[in-house]
Amino acid sequence: MNNEKTKYIFVTGGVISGLGKGIAAASIGYLLKTRGFNVTIQKFDPYINVDPGTMSPYQHGEVYVLDDGAETDLDLGHYERFIDVNMSRINNTTTGQVYHEVISRERRGDYLGATVQVIPHITGEIKRRIAAVNESQKYDVVICEIGGTVGDIESLPFLEAIRQFSIETGRGNSITIHLTLVPYIETSGEMKTKPTQHSVMRLREIGIQPDILLCRTKYPLVDELRRKISLFCNVYPEAVIEALDADTIYEIPMHFNKQMIVEIISKQLNLPIRKGNLKDLESFVAKVKNPKHEVNIGICGKYTQLHDAYKSILESFIHAGVENDAKVNIKWIGAEELSSPEKAQAALQKVDGLLVPGGFGDRGVEGKILAITVARENKIPFFGICLGLQCAVIEFARNVCGLKDAHSHEFSEETTNPVVSLMEEQKEISTKGGTMRLGAYSATIEKKTKASKIYNEQIISERHRHRYEVNNKYLDILLANGLIIGAKNEELDLVEMIEIPDHPWFVACQFHPELKSRVSKAHPLFAHFVKASLNYKKTQK
Ligand code: GLN
């Protein structure tokens, strides 16, 4: 396909937000990939923040970090997990970035006296970014998801840009797929097409005619409804695709595939019709739905009310569950509720493994530390991620090394034992985000550790998003008391993983392994943690 033109699929959303546009885009990407096309996916977010890095997880859910350190929308996680391609900064653009770029150019005088306007300058920058994602020309198909809902003021420049882009790339080189909702009205027992008709009308008003409709629905779309939607929305009946609520998101590509979505897309984009199969995904989904075993994992964090804040961790547990033929039941443990050792003890009685995930700010930190004490003393499998590692080090320093006031400088400026602190060279940088260690760093695994068995590799690369580090001044005392280092960043001389040998599974990492788990390959740390928790469960019978 290499010498032919790149094809573009724009994915828009109507009626309401939260219909799963990101997963729909990722599913289509997955299907195209199984047919041998090289695919990438890009997301446009209409908010004015430059990136989600400064937003509260309650506002935005998880911040998904890429290898190059870009802090991006959690949909990028779905893209990477489904199509198994490592993305980069250009795969996620926000209104903030677009304006930032245009205003910087204006200040430099690049516009040579012109009046700078939404059209053509903002739309021009958006189009530049659509093209830039395939600068290397390695992709056959670029899928481009427009965040927000059609009809929002914020997304208008993006929609105008894709309208122009489609015309400029010529007939047969781009299509628009629009995701809508066909609600079911309980009282009358009817499914309604009007919201879909109206949202398509909004799109057509601004010059975009969808080529395919994905209709989110609770019940199957009967032929009569399909015909009605087709007629009123100007979309061929076979291109009105039913997007039925699914038991697991990994089933969605299978639903779409049955309705011949790839053949329809291929015809519309003049792509060769290729064969492919979904055997791997089918066996994955079969395992998700019919697991042999079951295990309870406690996640002790402070955003437990909003599960999107831990999206990648939850998906990683699904992947790891499949590898262990087990269903992983997540038990949320609100860290702030653990106000005494007794409460921590009681909370951990219900679980076979404890995960303390990443986080910022001191809320709930003492509860996490109490939970870790229980896991360490009772030999319950423990997995610490980022702040989870930092809490484990504080716990060990306080309760095993006897450094009673051990703490992180993030939470206590006064502590005389800052076992977690900023590196010297970070201290002078004051811009928010400026001191963060972001993106991929490699680490060397220490021999004869659990880490070496888990990874079975000497050098690993994992993604980071944190400001504080284990304070090397305390390494001697930590190691003398039995903690061991699982992995180190040799170049920066930083601890990357720790473990306790005299424990069935007490492993923590400074990086975020959940960002590298894939449908096709569970992350080994999650897979081994689930395995250890299953073993723990057996011993409890
Ligand atoms: N707040 C800690 C730090 O900045 C941990 C961050 C995280 O868990 N992502 O170092």
Side-chain angles (χ1 to χ4, degrees):
M1 257 284 317
N2 274 348
N3 298 324
E4 294 184 33
K5 254 190 135 166
T6 310
K7 306 290 181 174
Y8 291 87
I9 299 176
F10 297 108
V11 180
T12 58
V15 187
I16 53 171
S17 60
L19 291 179
K21 234 184 311 151
I23 291 166
S27 301
I28 294 166
Y30 182 88
L31 291 175
L32 287 166
K33 208 176 160 189
T34 60
R35 309 290 179 106
F37 296 107
N38 259 337
V39 187
T40 192
I41 315 181
Q42 177 176 40
K43 166 110 196 248
F44 285 110
D45 277 308
Y47 52 72
I48 296 175
N49 303 60
V50 169
D51 62 43
T54 53
M55 283 189 221
S56 152
Y58 282 118
Q59 289 274 320
H60 187 269
E62 155 186 278
V63 174
Y64 191 81
V65 180
L66 305 178
D67 274 347
D68 66 4
E71 296 177 280
T72 71
D73 186 76
L74 58 76
D75 276 334
L76 279 271
H78 293 306
Y79 305 164
E80 287 201 341
R81 284 189 284 273
F82 271 87
I83 67 170
D84 195 14
V85 165
N86 285 339
M87 306 209 160
S88 73
R89 198 168 291 283
I90 191 66
N91 290 75
N92 191 196
T93 283
T94 66
T95 293
Q97 285 166 21
V98 172
Y99 274 83
H100 193 273
E101 179 67 39
V102 170
I103 292 170
S104 310
R105 269 189 229 143
E106 185 275 333
R107 291 290 85 187
R108 283 200 306 266
D110 291 2
Y111 294 111
L112 307 172
T115 306
V116 181
Q117 293 177 302
V118 173
I119 305 171
H121 301 100
I122 295 297
T123 47
E125 173 58 15
I126 296 169
K127 287 192 286 179
R128 186 189 71 75
R129 284 167 180 256
I130 300 173
V133 86
N134 196 23
E135 211 154 35
S136 60
Q137 293 293 312
K138 68 176 178 204
Y139 299 111
D140 305 319
V141 183
V142 174
I143 299 175
C144 179
E145 178 193 344
I146 312 295
T149 310
V150 168
D152 294 348
I153 293 176
E154 289 92 343
S155 49
L156 274 176
F158 292 104
L159 295 169
E160 170 62 11
I162 65 168
R163 187 193 65 75
Q164 293 181 9
F165 193 93
S166 301
I167 285 298
E168 286 164 359
T169 43
R171 190 183 289 277
N173 291 320
S174 77
I175 56 168
T176 300
I177 299 183
H178 187 57
L179 174 66
T180 73
L181 176 70
V182 178
Y184 174 74
I185 309 299
E186 294 283 344
T187 44
S188 62
E190 274 182 302
M191 283 162 71
K192 291 294 190 186
T193 63
K194 194 75 83 189
T196 297
Q197 296 179 39
H198 277 269
S199 100
V200 171
M201 229 186 280
R202 293 301 295 259
L203 257 186
R204 293 171 65 191
E205 267 169 25
I206 50 178
I208 298 174
Q209 166 64 50
D211 301 283
I212 294 175
L213 290 177
L214 301 176
C215 302
R216 215 23 226 283
T217 152
K218 199 166 165 187
Y219 300 106
L221 269 191
V222 292
D223 276 350
E224 188 198 328
L225 281 183
R226 209 180 278 254
R227 269 198 304 275
K228 193 170 172 188
I229 294 172
S230 156
L231 195 63
F232 293 129
C233 298
N234 219 28
V235 173
Y236 291 107
E238 68 273 17
V240 177
I241 307 275
E242 162 196 293
L244 206 57
D245 294 354
D247 296 336
T248 148
I249 56 168
Y250 299 106
E251 226 172 353
I252 294 170
M254 288 153 60
H255 284 325
F256 289 174
N257 196 52
K258 271 196 212 122
Q259 298 175 74
M260 314 290 274
I261 197 169
V262 185
E263 285 74 10
I264 296 167
I265 291 173
S266 303
K267 241 199 256 163
Q268 293 179 346
L269 286 174
N270 300 320
L271 284 166
I273 307 275
R274 289 187 183 153
K275 286 200 175 6
N277 74 68
L278 296 184
K279 282 200 186 97
D280 291 348
L281 193 65
E282 281 161 4
S283 75
F284 180 91
V285 168
K287 282 197 179 155
V288 172
K289 289 180 136 185
N290 300 301
K292 275 208 190 87
H293 314 285
E294 213 172 319
V295 68
N296 293 332
I297 301 283
I299 298 186
C300 180
K302 72 172 176 176
Y303 312 112
T304 48
Q305 301 303 319
L306 183 84
H307 302 170
D308 266 4
Y310 302 112
K311 192 82 216 162
S312 293
I313 288 181
L314 297 178
E315 296 304 321
S316 301
F317 275 126
I318 294 176
H319 309 159
V322 165
E323 263 196 35
N324 286 283
D325 211 350
K327 176 169 195 295
V328 178
N329 301 316
I330 300 297
K331 304 282 172 205
W332 296 99
I333 304 174
E336 282 171 287
E337 283 145 41
L338 305 185
S339 49
S340 67
E342 294 71 32
K343 283 192 178 154
Q345 189 84 41
L348 264 70
Q349 224 125 55
K350 302 180 193 107
V351 303
D352 309 308
L354 170 71
L355 172 91
V356 176
F360 292 82
D362 64 353
R363 202 159 56 79
V365 162
E366 291 304 326
K368 292 175 194 173
I369 292 172
L370 283 175
I372 295 171
T373 309
V374 177
R376 181 177 56 73
E377 290 180 348
N378 295 280
K379 308 230 184 284
I380 302 170
F382 165 75
F383 185 13
I385 294 180
C386 208
L387 180 62
L389 172 139
Q390 298 173 359
C391 287
V393 169
I394 296 167
E395 194 279 328
F396 193 87
R398 285 185 190 171
N399 300 328
V400 181
C401 307
L403 305 173
K404 288 289 166 227
D405 76 334
H407 222 320
S408 162
H409 261 153
E410 180 178 4
F411 313 124
S412 163
E413 278 298 324
E414 303 80 48
T415 177
T416 54
N417 287 301
V419 290
V420 175
S421 70
L422 287 181
M423 289 191 302
E424 282 309 313
E425 49 278 30
Q426 289 177 304
K427 290 186 181 153
E428 276 129 51
I429 313 172
S430 61
T431 338
K432 270 252 181 287
T435 52
M436 281 253 221
R437 187 143 77 99
L438 279 170
Y441 285 84
S442 53
T444 310
I445 302 276
E446 301 286 322
K447 291 197 178 77
K448 296 189 186 135
T449 55
K450 282 199 182 69
S452 69
K453 288 203 191 82
I454 292 166
Y455 276 98
N456 207 9
E457 263 176 312
Q458 238 189 330
I459 307 284
I460 57 167
S461 171
E462 294 282 4
R463 296 179 186 171
H464 293 247
R465 181 173 186 251
H466 58 100
R467 200 165 276 125
Y468 293 83
E469 305 282 352
V470 174
N471 187 342
N472 285 337
K473 290 188 192 126
Y474 287 87
L475 278 189
D476 285 347
I477 178 161
L478 291 166
L479 302 187
N481 281 278
L483 193 81
I484 64 169
I485 293 178
K488 264 195 110 161
N489 180 321
E490 304 281 0
E491 205 181 316
L492 300 171
D493 193 22
L494 294 172
V495 172
E496 293 280 9
M497 289 182 77
I498 57 148
E499 46 192 79
I500 294 178
D502 180 25
H503 187 288
W505 212 89
F506 191 104
V507 177
C509 50
Q510 189 56 79
F511 47 80
H512 288 272
E514 71 274 22
L515 303 175
K516 299 231 352 214
S517 190
R518 302 284 188 259
V519 184
S520 50
K521 181 91 201 75
H523 193 287
L525 279 169
F526 279 88
H528 279 80
F529 173 54
V530 169
K531 190 171 170 199
S533 303
L534 281 161
N535 288 339
Y536 174 83
K537 187 181 169 187
K538 276 187 217 145
T539 65
Q540 296 305 296
K541 281 208 176 124

Short mmCIF file of all heavy atoms in Angstrom, two decimals, residues 357-361 385-388 390 410-411 436 465-469 510 512, ligand 1:
data_model
loop_
_atom_site.label_atom_id
_atom_site.label_comp_id
_atom_site.label_asym_id
_atom_site.label_seq_id
_atom_site.Cartn_x
_atom_site.Cartn_y
_atom_site.Cartn_z
N PRO A 357 -1.67 2.65 44.12
CA PRO A 357 -1.32 3.28 42.85
C PRO A 357 -0.68 4.66 43.03
O PRO A 357 -0.46 5.11 44.16
CB PRO A 357 -2.69 3.41 42.17
CG PRO A 357 -3.66 3.58 43.28
CD PRO A 357 -3.10 2.84 44.46
N GLY A 358 -0.46 5.35 41.92
CA GLY A 358 0.15 6.68 41.95
C GLY A 358 -0.82 7.72 42.47
O GLY A 358 -2.02 7.48 42.60
N GLY A 359 -0.28 8.88 42.78
CA GLY A 359 -1.13 9.97 43.25
C GLY A 359 -0.30 11.17 43.64
O GLY A 359 0.93 11.09 43.74
N PHE A 360 -0.98 12.28 43.84
CA PHE A 360 -0.30 13.52 44.23
C PHE A 360 -1.00 14.09 45.46
O PHE A 360 -2.22 13.94 45.60
CB PHE A 360 -0.35 14.54 43.09
CG PHE A 360 0.48 14.12 41.91
CD1 PHE A 360 -0.02 13.22 40.97
CD2 PHE A 360 1.77 14.59 41.74
CE1 PHE A 360 0.74 12.82 39.89
CE2 PHE A 360 2.55 14.19 40.67
CZ PHE A 360 2.03 13.30 39.74
N GLY A 361 -0.25 14.77 46.31
CA GLY A 361 -0.84 15.43 47.47
C GLY A 361 -0.96 14.48 48.65
O GLY A 361 -0.95 13.26 48.48
N ILE A 385 2.86 1.35 42.97
CA ILE A 385 3.17 2.04 41.72
C ILE A 385 3.40 3.52 42.05
O ILE A 385 2.52 4.18 42.61
CB ILE A 385 2.03 1.89 40.70
CG1 ILE A 385 1.90 0.43 40.26
CG2 ILE A 385 2.25 2.80 39.50
CD1 ILE A 385 0.80 0.17 39.24
N CYS A 386 4.57 4.02 41.71
CA CYS A 386 4.91 5.43 41.85
C CYS A 386 4.73 5.91 43.29
O CYS A 386 5.54 5.57 44.14
CB CYS A 386 4.12 6.26 40.85
SG CYS A 386 5.00 7.74 40.39
N LEU A 387 3.66 6.65 43.60
CA LEU A 387 3.46 7.04 44.99
C LEU A 387 3.38 5.79 45.87
O LEU A 387 3.77 5.82 47.04
CB LEU A 387 2.17 7.88 45.12
CG LEU A 387 1.82 8.34 46.53
CD1 LEU A 387 2.90 9.26 47.09
CD2 LEU A 387 0.48 9.07 46.55
N GLY A 388 2.89 4.70 45.30
CA GLY A 388 2.81 3.43 46.03
C GLY A 388 4.20 2.96 46.45
O GLY A 388 4.38 2.43 47.56
N GLN A 390 6.77 5.03 46.86
CA GLN A 390 7.25 6.01 47.83
C GLN A 390 6.66 5.72 49.22
O GLN A 390 7.36 5.80 50.22
CB GLN A 390 6.90 7.43 47.35
CG GLN A 390 7.60 7.75 46.01
CD GLN A 390 7.15 9.09 45.41
OE1 GLN A 390 6.31 9.77 45.96
NE2 GLN A 390 7.74 9.44 44.28
N GLU A 410 7.46 15.82 49.74
CA GLU A 410 6.21 16.30 49.14
C GLU A 410 5.16 16.56 50.23
O GLU A 410 4.33 17.44 50.11
CB GLU A 410 5.68 15.24 48.15
CG GLU A 410 4.37 15.65 47.47
CD GLU A 410 3.85 14.63 46.46
OE1 GLU A 410 4.45 13.54 46.31
OE2 GLU A 410 2.83 14.93 45.81
N PHE A 411 5.23 15.75 51.31
CA PHE A 411 4.18 15.83 52.33
C PHE A 411 4.65 16.49 53.61
O PHE A 411 3.84 16.93 54.42
CB PHE A 411 3.65 14.43 52.65
CG PHE A 411 3.35 13.65 51.41
CD1 PHE A 411 3.91 12.40 51.18
CD2 PHE A 411 2.50 14.18 50.43
CE1 PHE A 411 3.65 11.70 50.02
CE2 PHE A 411 2.22 13.48 49.27
CZ PHE A 411 2.81 12.24 49.06
N MET A 436 9.00 17.53 36.60
CA MET A 436 8.51 16.15 36.53
C MET A 436 9.43 15.27 35.70
O MET A 436 9.90 15.70 34.65
CB MET A 436 7.14 16.14 35.87
CG MET A 436 6.08 16.55 36.80
SD MET A 436 5.12 15.10 37.22
CE MET A 436 3.55 15.86 37.16
N ARG A 465 5.90 9.41 35.60
CA ARG A 465 5.24 10.70 35.78
C ARG A 465 5.26 11.04 37.27
O ARG A 465 4.34 10.74 38.02
CB ARG A 465 3.78 10.65 35.29
CG ARG A 465 3.07 11.98 35.45
CD ARG A 465 1.70 11.96 34.82
NE ARG A 465 1.11 13.28 34.87
CZ ARG A 465 0.08 13.62 35.67
NH1 ARG A 465 -0.45 12.74 36.48
NH2 ARG A 465 -0.39 14.85 35.65
N HIS A 466 6.36 11.61 37.69
CA HIS A 466 6.47 11.95 39.11
C HIS A 466 7.57 12.99 39.30
O HIS A 466 8.38 13.24 38.40
CB HIS A 466 6.80 10.70 39.93
CG HIS A 466 8.06 10.03 39.49
ND1 HIS A 466 9.25 10.18 40.11
CD2 HIS A 466 8.31 9.23 38.41
CE1 HIS A 466 10.18 9.49 39.46
NE2 HIS A 466 9.63 8.92 38.42
N ARG A 467 7.56 13.57 40.47
CA ARG A 467 8.52 14.63 40.78
C ARG A 467 9.56 14.14 41.78
O ARG A 467 10.72 14.50 41.71
CB ARG A 467 7.73 15.81 41.35
CG ARG A 467 8.41 17.13 41.30
CD ARG A 467 7.42 18.26 41.55
NE ARG A 467 6.73 18.62 40.34
CZ ARG A 467 5.40 18.65 40.20
NH1 ARG A 467 4.61 18.33 41.21
NH2 ARG A 467 4.85 19.01 39.06
N TYR A 468 9.14 13.30 42.71
CA TYR A 468 10.01 12.90 43.83
C TYR A 468 10.67 11.55 43.55
O TYR A 468 10.19 10.78 42.72
CB TYR A 468 9.19 12.87 45.13
CG TYR A 468 8.76 14.26 45.52
CD1 TYR A 468 7.62 14.84 44.96
CD2 TYR A 468 9.51 15.03 46.41
CE1 TYR A 468 7.24 16.13 45.28
CE2 TYR A 468 9.13 16.33 46.74
CZ TYR A 468 8.00 16.88 46.16
OH TYR A 468 7.63 18.16 46.46
N GLU A 469 11.77 11.32 44.27
CA GLU A 469 12.57 10.10 44.07
C GLU A 469 12.96 9.53 45.43
O GLU A 469 13.00 10.26 46.43
CB GLU A 469 13.88 10.42 43.32
CG GLU A 469 13.71 11.14 42.00
CD GLU A 469 13.28 10.27 40.84
OE1 GLU A 469 13.25 9.03 41.00
OE2 GLU A 469 12.97 10.83 39.76
N GLN A 510 8.83 2.77 40.61
CA GLN A 510 8.68 4.22 40.54
C GLN A 510 7.96 4.64 39.25
O GLN A 510 7.42 5.72 39.14
CB GLN A 510 10.07 4.86 40.63
CG GLN A 510 10.09 6.35 40.78
CD GLN A 510 9.30 6.84 41.99
OE1 GLN A 510 9.75 6.79 43.11
NE2 GLN A 510 8.09 7.32 41.75
N HIS A 512 5.23 3.73 35.82
CA HIS A 512 3.83 3.32 35.67
C HIS A 512 3.71 2.19 34.66
O HIS A 512 3.48 2.44 33.48
CB HIS A 512 2.99 4.51 35.19
CG HIS A 512 2.80 5.54 36.25
ND1 HIS A 512 1.77 5.50 37.15
CD2 HIS A 512 3.53 6.64 36.57
CE1 HIS A 512 1.86 6.53 37.98
NE2 HIS A 512 2.92 7.25 37.65
N1 GLN B 1 3.43 12.56 44.01
C1 GLN B 1 4.54 11.72 43.74
C2 GLN B 1 5.63 12.46 42.98
O1 GLN B 1 5.42 13.48 42.41
C3 GLN B 1 4.12 10.48 42.99
C4 GLN B 1 3.54 10.77 41.64
C5 GLN B 1 2.78 9.62 41.07
O2 GLN B 1 2.41 8.71 41.78
N2 GLN B 1 2.50 9.67 39.79
O3 GLN B 1 6.75 12.02 42.94
#
